[in-house]
Amino acid sequence: MHRAPFGLLLAASALAAQTPPLVLPQASPRAQVAQTVGLTDITVTYARPSVHGRKVWGGLVPYGQVWRAGANENTTVTFSTPVKAGGVALPAGTYGLHMLPTAAAWTVIFSNESHAWGSFSYDPREDAARFTVTPVAAEALDRLEYAFDEVTDGAATLSLRWEKLRVPLRIEVDTNQVVVASLREQLRGLPRFSAEGWAGAAGWCVRHDVNLEEAQAWVDRSLEMKETFGALRTKALLADKRGDAAGAAALRTRAMAVATEAEVNNLGYALLGQGKVDEALDLFRRNVKDHADSWNAYDSLAEGLAAKGDKAGALKNYQQALGMVRAEDQRARIRTELAKLQ
């Protein structure tokens, strides 16, 4: 029988030892789902096992044993900022997710170890958070899935769905504090060199009633650089919050003196949205007086008059706008508004 040379066999053996495994489809494919809550990014990376006709709860996933909450490597959850999971505070970072299922309540575990294979080396001394949740019945699902439900600016429910069960994990974010910290960081970059950067940061804080003392310093910094409509309006709101009605009124008067047509128009629409129709009409009429060559000024006044119930005034101003505008899409829109009034 012919034999390969011994040296060739050694070389082949060494080559085989160095050859990486083939990449083939996995029985439990990898998946990733992400959600932004305010400015906080939450990302879940996991593998998706299939029911495949098996008994899952109390079978494939035994009760009373720590489970990897997925398949293969650790299921991981990454938070870009600090959060609360199940009411327990967690710093920003990546965590291994495990669960301890029972026939009733489940224990959810966030571990500081996120690189393990499954839960085989799970160590409770590495727990970052541990809390209890109650699974609920759900529509049948063959492949395990994570999804985000009930998303708001400050919270979301991360749900594990598999077989006929949903396991909800409530994640909460102090979005106001996250945004304030982000604004401070942003104002150390290019935005610090513009009046709009400082004014925008102050304006956000005032609208959300947070960090008002620092917001005052930010808007003053903006006004030192340039006196703008937005910054003066923001400073007026801060004066209102201090109970300084006279100071707020004076600041609003100064703001109107430097306002552009678009700024007045936008403020008018904001007031219209708040149901303050008469105040909005005052601004729309001001724009018509100051910008008589603008079709948009007449168009906005017409919309305000229509909201007031002044059909004749609305028709007159829509017709004026139609006679001035050249863009065909705007002409078609105004004709539609006229048809509604006629």
Side-chain angles (χ1 to χ4, degrees):
M1 183 174 67
H2 175 73
R3 294 177 180 272
F6 183 68
L8 183 59
L9 289 174
L10 285 177
S13 176
L15 180 61
Q18 296 170 13
T19 302
L22 294 172
V23 177
L24 297 170
Q26 297 294 304
S28 300
R30 296 292 283 172
Q32 191 173 80
V33 62
Q35 177 66 53
T36 299
V37 177
L39 289 182
T40 299
D41 295 323
I42 306 173
T43 305
V44 185
T45 303
Y46 64 107
R48 303 185 64 188
S50 171
V51 173
H52 202 59
R54 298 172 290 184
K55 175 179 170 60
V56 174
W57 311 120
L60 179 64
V61 179
Y63 288 138
Q65 295 182 26
V66 176
W67 172 53
R68 70 189 84 183
N72 303 333
E73 301 98 317
N74 269 171
T75 295
T76 63
V77 185
T78 300
F79 305 109
S80 66
T81 73
V83 303
K84 283 186 177 180
V88 182
L90 284 172
T94 298
Y95 298 90
L97 179 63
H98 306 267
M99 298 184 185
L100 201 163
T102 71
W106 287 29
T107 300
V108 176
I109 303 162
F110 283 84
S111 172
N112 286 310
E113 171 54 57
S114 62
H115 296 92
W117 182 272
S119 298
F120 300 105
S121 64
Y122 165 73
D123 187 338
R125 292 173 298 182
E126 296 170 332
D127 286 1
R130 176 184 277 247
F131 54 91
T132 302
V133 300
T134 302
V136 296
E139 292 185 5
L141 188 65
D142 182 63
R143 281 204 182 275
L144 183 149
E145 174 184 85
Y146 282 92
F148 288 93
D149 303 313
E150 303 154 1
V151 179
T152 69
D153 286 342
T157 298
L158 173 61
S159 295
L160 179 154
R161 289 185 174 89
W162 197 22
E163 201 253 359
K164 296 181 180 179
L165 215 60
R166 180 173 78 93
V167 185
L169 288 64
R170 190 66 172 164
I171 309 296
E172 297 172 298
V173 181
D174 189 344
T175 293
N176 280 354
Q177 291 306 315
V178 169
V179 174
V180 167
S182 174
L183 289 172
R184 290 184 184 126
E185 189 67 20
Q186 291 179 65
L187 288 172
R188 300 188 69 175
L190 286 176
R192 74 177 288 106
F193 299 107
S194 72
E196 290 76 13
W198 296 100
W204 189 93
C205 292
V206 173
R207 290 192 300 275
H208 293 83
D209 200 25
V210 64
N211 196 44
L212 297 184
E213 184 174 342
E214 194 168 16
Q216 182 71 62
W218 288 349
V219 77
D220 287 341
R221 176 81 172 261
S222 175
L223 288 168
E224 288 172 4
M225 299 171 78
K226 182 170 66 174
E227 192 164 277
T228 64
F229 173 82
L232 288 165
R233 294 277 306 180
T234 294
K235 189 165 183 175
L237 288 172
L238 283 164
D240 279 332
K241 289 180 181 295
R242 295 194 307 273
D244 182 4
L251 286 163
R252 290 190 176 95
T253 299
R254 283 171 59 191
M256 292 305 296
V258 299
T260 65
E261 176 191 355
E263 288 169 335
V264 173
N265 202 53
N266 290 338
L267 178 57
Y269 276 110
L271 292 169
L272 203 60
Q274 297 167 18
K276 299 177 181 179
V277 179
D278 289 333
E279 292 180 52
L281 283 171
D282 286 343
L283 293 176
F284 293 146
R285 289 190 176 104
R286 174 194 174 107
N287 256 355
V288 165
K289 178 182 176 183
D290 293 345
H291 305 280
D293 58 346
S294 169
W295 70 268
N296 192 55
Y298 293 98
D299 180 66
S300 298
L301 178 55
E303 188 170 343
L305 290 167
K308 179 73 173 178
D310 184 351
K311 180 177 176 180
L315 282 167
K316 176 184 176 183
N317 282 279
Y318 271 134
Q319 287 165 347
Q320 179 69 26
L322 184 61
M324 299 170 70
V325 67
R326 293 292 173 263
E328 192 52 46
D329 59 336
Q330 295 293 351
R331 292 177 64 81
R333 180 186 58 79
I334 292 171
R335 289 193 191 98
T336 300
E337 297 301 325
L338 284 167
K340 292 177 185 176
L341 293 166
Q342 290 169 342

